[in-house]
Structures are given as structure tokens and as C-alpha cells.
Amino acid sequence: MLAGRRVVGSRYFSEEKISELCEDGPKPEPPSEGSSGELGFVAEQATRASLELADRMEAA
């Protein structure tokens, strides 16, 4: 990555321009308790699946 630049697709944008684009968008709301629990569950499943895949690849 070039200093002060972020790769977006095949183009380079300055950090200042990326910040401007991000400021214009709606601010995300914090997750509710229900969605936090669901996100945690999905993250746990993804972690387990990744570890199982790594074990199978190692055994192959």
C-alpha cells in the first residue's frame, strides 16, 4: 500500500477523499442485544468451520 493511499479496486484514492466519502453516508447504529447474540453465534460457526477445513486440508 502506498503511503497515504488506499487501494479501491484498481484505483487509488487519498485518505482525505475516502474520509469525505465516509462522512457523507449514514452512521451505523449499534447492534441490538438480539442481533449481537446472533452475530456471535454466526462468528462461532464460521470459526469452527474454518478450523475444520484447516484440519481436513492438513490431513490431505
Side-chain angles (χ1 to χ4, degrees), residues 3 6 11 14 18-20 22 26 31 34 37 40 42 45 48:
R6 184 177 294 170
R11 298 175 184 242
S14 68
I18 294 294
S19 294
E20 286 176 22
C22 292
V42 170
Q45 286 182 317
R48 280 194 186 130

Side-chain angles (χ1 to χ4, degrees), residues 28-55:
E29 295 181 18
S32 66
E33 285 185 33
S35 65
S36 282
E38 186 177 341
L39 290 172
F41 177 72
V42 170
E44 187 177 321
Q45 286 182 317
T47 301
R48 280 194 186 130
S50 295
L51 292 172
E52 289 173 8
L53 177 61
D55 287 345

Side-chain angles (χ1 to χ4, degrees), residues 1-2 4-15 17-19 21-22:
M1 183 152 130
L2 301 174
R5 304 240 174 219
R6 184 177 294 170
V7 178
V8 179
S10 62
R11 298 175 184 242
Y12 293 94
F13 294 96
S14 68
E15 291 289 330
K17 185 64 176 175
I18 294 294
S19 294
L21 295 172
C22 292

